[in-house]
Amino acid sequence: MSTADSTEPFEGDDRQYTPTRLPGWLQEVNGPDRIQPPQFTRAQLADLSPRDLLVHNDNREVWHANIGPIDTPQLIALHDALAEIVESNRQDGDKTKPAALVDAYPGLGKSTAVRDYGRKLFRKQVALRGETTPSGDRRVPVIYIALSGNTQIRGLNAAICRFYGLPTSGNADALAERAVDAVLSMKTVAIIIDDIHFLAGANSNSVRMANQLKYLANVFPVTLIYVGVGVQQRGVLREGFSGKQTELAQFGRRTTPLTLPPFQIEDDEGRQHWHTLLKTIEQKLVLAEKYPGMLARDLSDYLFARSTGHFASLMALINRSCLRAIRSGHERLDEDLMNQVKNDAAAEEARKELEAAIKAGLLTTHPTPPAERRRKSA
């Protein structure tokens, strides 16, 4: 049952790149799908040589750290909405294309979900139109950039140039011209701008931020997909106007707000979505003593309390717990093991209140059994 020649160096399947540079983005878009490691029993693990066991465990650790994206109802709805906006934007260059704003709480996987849509759109465009443009340039249908704190227009234009591998010298206008030339030559149709709430700083007024975003829409003949936190709360879509004056807000007319909601357990539909997610994740775990229902049945309430229904918090907890289960030889997930694992600060802060509500019977993640649903509807 050897998994590797003990005499050969083993590099593993770690993929270190940044999607904010073209080579890294191409690796994310075109990289091969990971292959799930084999599911071994304890006896089979014991039969592995020390070297092969190290290799197998390394493969499992990388695999668990990179589970997803998962086609949850929230992700599918977001992708459908983005496709409707982006793929209907076939206006000529003299017309401004409407933008999309994905505005949601942290830790819900919105950046991953939007990049996943961008990856699929990239592949679709290349499959339809070819890898090179009529002029012989590489076709780059979608690009991805992420902003940092207090980004100004020059910094944003520089980020776009940096993605394409272009020089970043010059003023904002010179950078914009350079970036537009790249957009046109490489046939870019969509630009994903992540962490848009950093544009011009967290304390800047909504008018300034909206003006900068309008500038982008006017300069770049593409669909802009903004991703951020609390952008609408800043009043950006209203551009500082209030009451009847909101009709004067151009940016709000040009931008469609979207979101990615957390999982909720207020009704059976939400609870069923949560259970489906846990079943999907469970199938992807590679632990020797994994069993059907380990997550969706035995840990459902616990995992919701530990993650507050936020996808990123859930996956961080499961990934770290799998690492502990492998390294300790426990080879399964349960409350005793997972209680030793720390999660992000926001999830840990909300944990006690949710656990108390679940323990008191005020909340449950388990869907109503079909027989009971039929009885109640009769």
Side-chain angles (χ1 to χ4, degrees):
M1 193 187 299
S2 177
T3 59
D5 187 332
S6 61
T7 64
E8 293 182 359
F10 176 70
E11 292 297 330
D13 198 17
D14 294 283
R15 303 177 189 180
Q16 301 301 317
Y17 61 84
T18 171
T20 61
R21 303 290 189 275
L22 180 55
W25 179 237
L26 291 175
Q27 187 171 346
E28 180 167 340
V29 168
N30 298 321
D33 293 336
R34 281 187 165 85
I35 298 174
Q36 184 166 340
Q39 181 73 45
F40 292 154
T41 65
R42 276 196 180 276
Q44 289 171 323
L45 289 178
D47 285 341
L48 294 176
S49 70
R51 166 73 173 177
D52 288 344
L53 181 60
L54 281 174
V55 170
H56 179 63
N57 287 347
D58 189 84
N59 285 333
R60 289 198 287 171
E61 290 167 10
V62 173
W63 169 260
H64 290 144
N66 292 281
I67 291 175
I70 295 175
D71 288 337
T72 64
Q74 295 95 320
L75 182 140
I76 292 170
L78 178 61
H79 281 195
D80 288 345
L82 285 171
E84 191 169 78
I85 296 166
V86 177
E87 296 169 48
S88 67
N89 274 355
R90 305 296 290 273
Q91 300 90 340
D92 294 336
D94 62 328
K95 302 178 181 66
T96 300
K97 299 179 188 292
L101 168 62
V102 181
D103 193 1
Y105 290 119
L108 295 175
K110 59 186 177 296
S111 297
T112 301
V114 174
R115 284 207 315 274
D116 187 47
Y117 169 74
R119 177 174 177 261
K120 291 174 180 176
L121 177 61
F122 192 115
R123 288 182 165 185
K124 178 181 177 181
Q125 286 284 311
V126 167
L128 179 65
R129 307 185 191 285
E131 293 186 354
T132 57
T133 69
S135 60
D137 292 302
R138 175 192 287 276
R139 187 180 299 278
V140 184
V142 183
I143 78 169
Y144 172 83
I145 65 171
L147 304 185
S148 58
N150 201 30
T151 301
Q152 307 290 335
I153 277 295
R154 186 193 178 283
L156 195 153
N157 291 346
I160 297 174
C161 288
R162 199 174 294 116
F163 176 92
Y164 286 114
L166 302 173
T168 56
S169 58
N171 60 27
D173 290 339
L175 289 168
E177 290 181 11
R178 206 172 288 151
V180 168
D181 287 342
V183 164
L184 293 174
S185 65
M186 299 189 194
K187 301 296 183 183
T188 301
V189 299
I191 298 178
I192 301 170
I193 304 178
D194 206 349
D195 291 327
I196 195 67
H197 49 275
F198 284 140
L199 187 58
N203 296 320
S204 65
N205 63 58
S206 58
V207 177
R208 183 177 182 182
M209 187 173 178
N211 284 338
Q212 297 198 56
L213 298 181
K214 282 190 291 184
Y215 162 85
L216 289 177
N218 291 334
V219 170
F220 293 96
V222 300
T223 301
L224 295 165
I225 304 174
Y226 308 115
V227 184
V229 176
V231 180
Q232 294 185 74
Q233 294 176 358
R234 300 170 194 266
V236 174
L237 299 184
R238 298 190 304 273
E239 298 179 41
F241 294 110
S242 61
K244 294 182 179 179
Q245 288 184 316
T246 55
E247 291 294 327
L248 301 175
Q250 284 183 310
F251 185 70
R253 288 290 181 183
R254 295 176 177 178
T255 307
T256 302
L258 305 171
T259 193
L260 190 69
F263 284 87
Q264 58 85 19
I265 54 172
E266 310 299 324
D267 53 42
D268 260 340
E269 182 180 23
R271 292 189 283 268
Q272 189 59 58
H273 288 165
W274 177 251
H275 264 238
T276 300
L277 171 66
L278 295 185
K279 288 178 181 178
T280 302
I281 296 171
E282 184 182 293
Q283 291 170 359
K284 296 178 181 296
L285 301 186
V286 186
L287 299 172
E289 294 201 356
K290 179 183 77 173
Y291 58 91
M294 182 178 71
L295 299 188
R297 185 186 65 233
D298 295 346
L299 290 171
S300 179
D301 286 349
Y302 176 85
L303 290 172
F304 191 86
R306 290 292 309 268
S307 68
T308 64
H310 285 60
F311 185 78
S313 299
L314 173 69
M315 296 312 297
L317 177 63
I318 289 177
N319 174 32
R320 294 170 188 174
S321 298
C322 285
L323 181 69
R324 182 177 287 268
I326 291 169
R327 294 188 175 181
S328 67
H330 197 65
E331 290 293 339
R332 68 193 297 172
L333 300 187
D334 54 40
E335 289 191 29
D336 288 340
L337 178 136
M338 299 184 84
N339 279 336
Q340 302 173 57
V341 177
K342 302 295 184 184
N343 209 359
D344 63 85
E348 292 294 348
E349 186 176 346
R351 175 183 178 182
K352 289 184 179 179
E353 184 177 346
L354 277 171
E355 284 180 334
I358 290 171
K359 187 175 181 180
L362 301 176
L363 285 176
T364 181
T365 63
H366 296 280
T368 306
E372 187 174 343
R373 284 204 302 270
R374 289 193 297 269
R375 180 179 58 79
K376 288 181 177 180
S377 61

